[in-house]
Amino acid sequence: MKQRDSLIYLIVWIFLSFLPNSAQSQTRYSVSGYVKDSTTGETLIGAAVRIANSNRGAVTNSYGFFSLNLNENENELHISYLGYDSKTIKFKPGKEIRLNISLSPVGLKGREVVITGERSDKNIRSTEMSRIELSGEKIKQLPVIFGEPDVLKAITLLPGIKSGGEASTGFYVRGGGPDQNLILMDEAVVYNPSHLFGFLSVFNSDAVKNIDIIKGGMPANYGGRLSSILNVNMREGNNQQYKTSGGVGLISSRLTFEGPLQKGKSSFLVSGRRTYIDVLAKPFIPSRLSGNSYYFYDMNVKGNVILGEKDRLFISGYFGRDILNFQSPQNKDVFFDFGWGNSTATLRWNHVFSPKLFSNTSLIFNRYDLFNDFTFGTNGFNVRSSVQDWNLKSDFTWFPRENHQVKFGLNYTYHTFQPGILSGSLGSTSINQAINKQFAHEYAAYILDEWQVNQRLIINAGLRLVAFQLVGPYTQAVFDNETQLATGESKVYKPGETIAFYPRLEPRLSGTYLLNSESSIKGSFTQTYQFLHLATTSGAQFPLDLWVPSSARVKPQLAYQYALGYFRNFKQDAYESSVEVYYKPMYNQIEFRPGAQLFFNQNLENEMVFGEGLSYGAEFFLRKKAGDLTGWVGYTWSRTTRQFDALNNGQPYFFRYDRTHDISLLLAYQINPKWSANFVFVFGTGNAVTLPVGRYTYRFGVNPQEQRPEFAIVDVYGKVNDYRLPAYHRADISFTYLAKKTEKWESSWNFSIYNVYNRANPYFIYFYPDIEKQEVKAFMVYLFPILPSVQWNFKF
């Protein structure tokens, strides 16, 4: 009933908003086009295009495109982008005018913390809240572990986004889990974003153009996850001249080639990265461990071509793998290879139907693989699992009037889940087993309108229609309706036969009310469903984690998020500040029974328990944007709980990554033209963990050789997540020295220190009995001490 009413209200609202308004100036003609970098030819995302002597304007979209409706007496545009010379263009009014605008980069006195092309007061005027952009160049400046720049580590410095820990690229947004974040690389889904068991992410900073993180107020053109959208846009490549860049660090090196295929019309980019831990460590590894090694590699490729005034084509791809080789030091016949990785490919076509209608159509492939090979002398077997998607989507942007921007589109995804294939041999016995594949269709259609009602009020209203269909062939275990336990029976579904079908509506609403030229109030409501779930018992995404679809037993996850914020700028927009509060109930949340067997389990659903979640909090943010000293400070106060009838006696408990207090401080200082410095400090309440409150022994038999009794020790656990680890905090610092910069060559050095004051932050706790004192002692394991690193970067 509520979903039907939401649809009716939206349709009525859209029709009313397009009724003639006598107070609105009549438009005479339209101007549209692209804004790009004059030196590289790459389009500029978020460049500000303003009508001269007016407060009206637009910003370029993710492809650098803009469109404006002008009155007959308006014939001048002012274009600006941070770090570039502004430009004013005059033209003769006409019916439809198309412009290709190039801006030239200039040196900045101070380094921007977030380098985007947004107008300086965008944070108070736009309907966007809980949304932040970072450039690839800024990410490279931050001090990080082993000198490796990392996208996912950078976003955890923002309020409301929490890290899963030092050895994790998992992140948690406003009380959600790591699987509740939709991670996109040029529109392709990345199911596991980690290298090196979570130490680094799969995103090569040399290939990253910018990132866009949405943690609340999600517009209707995004969906599929409950908590956030991380959109990583890759660079297009230089279409003016050939360039080479790279970096040499302590554990890996990067190399990027780019240049024009046809100058000014097309370009390519190839960027690769590989660790050399295995190579550097080899001389120091004892001979008995010589068969052990670990490394990862990845590659990004991208090409684009301007087909004409109205058409552009983009093709991009990613391929990465982590490989771990292990040979037993006690038995050389025991050997295994353990690997995992992502593969993506995206084909995109931009088309301008008219100055008022822009479209992008994408065909996307993505796949995540896990593969293991085990050898025991003459015996051996291998295990494979994967998740794969084919995705076709079309997105349209329509500019019907000066005060309206309408987006609408369609999206279809075909999912294939392969939980496990086991093959091999034990002696003369061959092994060939497989867990049943699962197949699903996912559909989405959306429409949204950003309506500037008047000079003070802007509303963004949208509706997203989604549907998920799990289909055969599949053999489904049958569960008892009362006990929810498997009966031992099964039901067979034919190819294409529907197993479960979930159509849903997702209303979205956000708005901004300008109090004055320096401050505004924003609010948003978001309803989202999630049909894919991560089968894991760990706090972060590890290679053994499996993605499973919604089914007749596993219902889609659901979340409502309400947010309200106050935004204020100071000193002519040199300082930005905001305060946001949010309330987020979540339903059909998934956990696993203690001791659940997740890998190669034919009846994985039988291991699941279902419950609810709740998260609420307040986020404070202050950013300085200009001058030699820039940076931000963020503080989050929050509460996150879960409630499952089958866990903790049905009582609510703290989510494992609930953090009452979370503080982040980032400072960037331009010392002189050669030297710059960055400083980071983070503090967070300790993670909630479940620890034993006692233990007992029981006799289970007699040792037949020594004729003595055998005992087992059993730990007794109390409430779930009833103990807090000590608070996490550390400080990092880095210095960048620009050794040389000419038109043909640039060389710089980055020196960083991770964990400056050598804080021993706990990674996990284990227990060891002291037999003499008849007591059990707890020991904390600490991961990273103070770690200096150095990296050399170059361009030519």
Side-chain angles (χ1 to χ4, degrees), residues 182 184 186-187 210-213 222 229-233:
L182 180 62
L184 302 172
D186 273 353
E187 298 190 274
N210 80 316
I211 66 171
D212 183 14
I213 178 76
Y222 289 108
I229 305 295
L230 175 61
N231 196 4
V232 181
N233 295 303

Side-chain angles (χ1 to χ4, degrees), residues 161-221:
I161 305 176
K162 302 172 183 179
S163 169
E166 286 189 317
S168 171
T169 53
F171 62 99
Y172 303 81
V173 179
R174 291 184 172 177
D179 64 323
Q180 294 175 354
N181 306 308
L182 180 62
I183 302 174
L184 302 172
M185 184 192 300
D186 273 353
E187 298 190 274
V189 175
V190 177
Y191 280 104
N192 189 324
S194 69
H195 278 313
L196 202 62
F197 291 98
F199 286 93
L200 299 172
S201 76
V202 299
F203 304 109
N204 182 348
S205 60
D206 281 353
V208 172
K209 185 175 186 178
N210 80 316
I211 66 171
D212 183 14
I213 178 76
I214 306 172
K215 55 183 177 174
M218 193 183 300
N221 52 317

Side-chain angles (χ1 to χ4, degrees), residues 128-169:
E128 297 173 353
M129 61 184 303
S130 312
R131 184 172 187 167
I132 300 177
E133 295 181 22
L134 290 170
S135 74
E137 288 302 315
K138 179 57 203 175
I139 292 169
K140 285 196 257 187
Q141 296 171 14
L142 300 179
V144 291
I145 190 168
F146 299 131
E148 281 296 313
D150 194 271
V151 166
L152 299 189
K153 291 291 191 295
I155 65 173
T156 58
L157 298 175
L158 301 170
I161 305 176
K162 302 172 183 179
S163 169
E166 286 189 317
S168 171
T169 53

